[in-house]
Amino acid sequence: MDRYCVRLSAPGKVILHGEHSVVFGKTAIAVSLGLRTSIRVQEVSEPVLKVNLPAVGLNDTIPLDLINKELLKQTTFHIEAPETLEHEEHLAKTEKFVADIISNFEQLTNVKQNALRGLFYVVFGIFGGNEFENGMEITIVSDLTIGSGTGSSASYAVCLAGALLQLAKLKKGIKVDQLSLDDRKLISKWAFNCERITHGTPSGIDNTTATFGSLVSFRKGHEPDLLDIKLDLRILLVYSCVSRETKALAANVRSLMQRNQKAVDCVMDAIDHIAKRALEILQNLSSSDHNGDIDEQYQHLAELWNMNHCLLASLGVSHPALESIRASALARGLACKLTGAGGGGYVIVLIPPSTKQSVVEELSQELSSKGFVVTDTKLGGPGVTLDS
C-alpha cells in the first residue's frame, strides 16, 4: 500500500501601505514576506493522526478510528467548493469533535484552540465522506511570530489547505510537480474559510497574499486584486517586542476622526495617494524596461514610506519603541515605517540596492542592542509552493 508525503510552504505578509485608511474605503497594499510557514503531511503505519505544531506548542496523537467515524458523518462534499460549506454549522461540529478528543481543550490558549479548529475544519471539509486507510503525521513549522501582524494565521491556513488538497489528489492517483492557478484559487478559498475561524470577518487580503505571493491591493467592499509584480525588495523587519491591540487602536482612530473629521479625512486621502503612487513605482521597478534611474525610484519609495509613517503617527498609532527604531534608521539615511495596526508590533526598513552592507550591519547591531528583534529579509516573493 502506497504511503504519501506532501511538503509545501507559504509566506507571511506585511501591509506596505494603507494601514487604518483601508477601514474608510481607501487603498491598501499587502506584500508577501520572505518568512514562511512549512508543512509536511506524511502517511504513517500507525492508526493515528499525529499533530506536531511547535510554533504554537501543540503535540497530540488522535486515534484514526475516531477521525474516520467523524469523516463518515459528512454527507455533503465540498472539496471543490468550500464557499458552499455551511461555515457556522461545520465549525460547530468541528469544535465539538476537538473538544471531545482533546481532554484539556478548554484550558488551551486561544491560539492553540484556533490551530486545532482550523486543522480539523479543513480535514473534515476536504475528506468528508471518506475514510483514511493510513495514519498521518502533520508537522507545521513557521518563521513567523504568531499574532504579530505578519499573516501567520493565513500562512498556516494556506499550508493546511494546500497540503491536504494535494494529498487528496495523490490518493486519486493524480501527481503534480507544481500548483496551477486553479489549485491556488481553491487553496485560497479554503484558507479564507479558516481565516473566518480566527478573524470572524476577514478581508481576504492575508490568504490571497499567502497563496499568490507578490503584491495584493485591496479596498473595502471589493475582492482583493492580485498584482502580478515581480519584486525583490530588501528590508529589515524589526519586531518592537511590544504587543498591540488592533481593535483598540482602530477605535481610537475612529474617535479621533469623529472629533476632527475634516483633518483626519485629509490624512486618509494622503495615505490613499501614497499607496497608489507607491504602487506605480513598484510596477515600474519590476518592469523589464523600467523607466528612470533605480536609485531615484528607491529614493521616491523612501519618501513615501517616511510620509506614510508620519501620517499614521499623526493618527496616534505609533509608539515610543517604533520611534526609537525609526530614529536609528533615519540616522543612517534609511526609510522606516510601521506596518499593520501600529502601537507596537513591527516596523519595516527599506534597504535600497546601493546601501552599503556595513550600514545594514551597524543598524542591525544597534537595534539588537536595544532589545529589538531584527530580520534581514525580502518582500514580494512567491506564494504557496510545493517543496521537494
Side-chain angles (χ1 to χ4, degrees):
M1 183 182 298
D2 291 333
R3 294 199 183 101
Y4 300 111
C5 180
V6 178
R7 290 182 174 87
L8 182 145
S9 66
K13 73 92 181 62
V14 293
I15 299 297
L16 199 56
H17 294 290
E19 296 94 337
H20 291 283
S21 63
V22 69
V23 176
F24 301 97
K26 307 302 182 182
T27 302
I29 302 172
V31 60
S32 57
L33 189 57
L35 307 180
R36 301 177 72 85
T37 299
S38 300
I39 185 171
R40 184 190 69 189
V41 178
Q42 173 74 63
E43 290 194 324
V44 296
S45 57
E46 305 102 300
V48 296
L49 172 60
K50 297 179 180 179
V51 179
N52 182 26
L53 310 177
V56 296
L58 272 174
N59 196 318
D60 279 295
T61 300
I62 299 128
L64 195 63
D65 60 345
L66 294 179
I67 294 169
N68 281 336
K69 183 178 178 182
E70 188 68 22
L71 283 169
L72 291 176
K73 291 180 182 177
Q74 313 293 323
T75 56
T76 307
F77 309 110
H78 298 275
I79 184 170
E80 298 293 339
E83 68 277 9
T84 66
L85 189 62
E86 292 292 340
H87 174 74
E88 295 299 337
E89 180 182 337
H90 185 68
L91 178 57
K93 290 178 181 177
T94 300
E95 181 151 7
K96 182 180 184 306
F97 172 82
V98 176
D100 287 344
I101 62 168
I102 306 295
S103 58
N104 64 335
F105 182 73
E106 295 300 327
Q107 284 72 53
L108 296 178
T109 64
N110 194 48
V111 170
K112 292 181 180 181
Q113 289 184 357
N114 282 336
L116 288 167
R117 290 183 184 109
L119 190 154
F120 286 102
Y121 182 102
V122 178
V123 167
F124 295 145
I126 290 176
F127 292 98
N130 300 281
E131 287 185 296
F132 287 127
E133 296 176 354
N134 295 321
M136 282 195 299
E137 182 174 8
I138 297 177
T139 301
I140 303 177
V141 297
S142 186
D143 301 325
L144 301 164
T145 302
I146 308 300
S148 62
T150 52
S152 59
S153 65
S155 185
Y156 171 83
V158 167
C159 281
L160 267 178
L164 293 173
L165 286 167
Q166 288 307 301
L167 180 63
K169 278 190 174 185
L170 289 173
K171 287 177 172 292
K172 293 178 181 178
I174 304 170
K175 189 177 186 304
V176 297
D177 295 323
Q178 59 183 7
L179 299 170
S180 68
L181 179 59
D182 286 341
D183 289 334
R184 292 173 186 274
K185 289 179 179 179
L186 185 56
I187 289 168
S188 190
K189 287 180 181 179
W190 275 108
F192 178 78
N193 277 14
C194 273
E195 283 282 84
R196 294 176 67 187
I197 298 172
T198 304
H199 300 296
T201 54
S203 67
I205 197 167
D206 283 18
N207 56 280
T208 302
T209 308
T211 302
F212 294 96
S214 191
L215 269 76
V216 175
S217 70
F218 173 74
R219 285 184 62 202
K220 190 175 181 180
H222 296 75
E223 289 291 318
D225 184 16
L226 175 65
L227 303 168
D228 188 18
I229 298 175
K230 306 304 180 188
L231 286 179
D232 194 27
L233 285 181
R234 185 185 179 190
I235 65 160
L236 292 183
L237 179 71
V238 187
Y239 185 42
S240 67
C241 299
V242 176
S243 60
R244 78 280 188 275
E245 296 183 20
T246 301
K247 288 183 180 179
L249 289 160
N252 290 341
V253 171
R254 193 173 290 278
S255 296
L256 185 69
M257 174 174 272
Q258 290 171 351
R259 295 190 300 273
N260 308 277
Q261 181 77 47
K262 290 184 178 179
V264 175
D265 280 346
C266 289
V267 173
M268 297 301 179
D269 286 342
I271 293 174
D272 188 52
H273 171 79
I274 285 170
K276 292 174 179 176
R277 186 69 185 102
L279 185 55
E280 291 174 2
I281 296 169
L282 293 170
Q283 286 173 319
N284 189 43
L285 278 172
S286 70
S287 172
S288 57
D289 57 346
H290 62 80
N291 299 313
D293 180 84
I294 290 179
D295 287 339
E296 287 182 5
Q297 291 181 73
Y298 267 92
Q299 181 58 37
H300 197 165
L301 278 182
E303 291 170 354
L304 295 173
W305 282 37
N306 285 327
M307 284 193 291
N308 198 166
H309 178 90
C310 291
L311 288 166
L312 290 167
S314 77
L315 298 175
V317 298
S318 189
H319 185 277
L322 305 185
E323 295 304 326
S324 175
I325 297 166
R326 189 163 180 270
S328 295
L330 289 177
R332 292 167 174 83
L334 297 175
C336 175
K337 68 177 290 291
L338 66 83
T339 180
Y346 281 94
V347 297
I348 49 178
V349 180
L350 180 64
I351 310 295
S354 60
T355 308
K356 293 180 179 178
Q357 181 60 22
S358 60
V359 172
V360 179
E361 291 173 357
E362 288 172 7
L363 176 58
S364 298
Q365 290 168 7
E366 179 177 318
L367 294 175
S368 297
S369 71
K370 291 182 177 181
F372 303 122
V373 180
V374 183
T375 305
D376 191 335
T377 187
K378 299 286 185 70
L379 297 181
V384 61
T385 57
L386 288 173
D387 298 337
S388 56

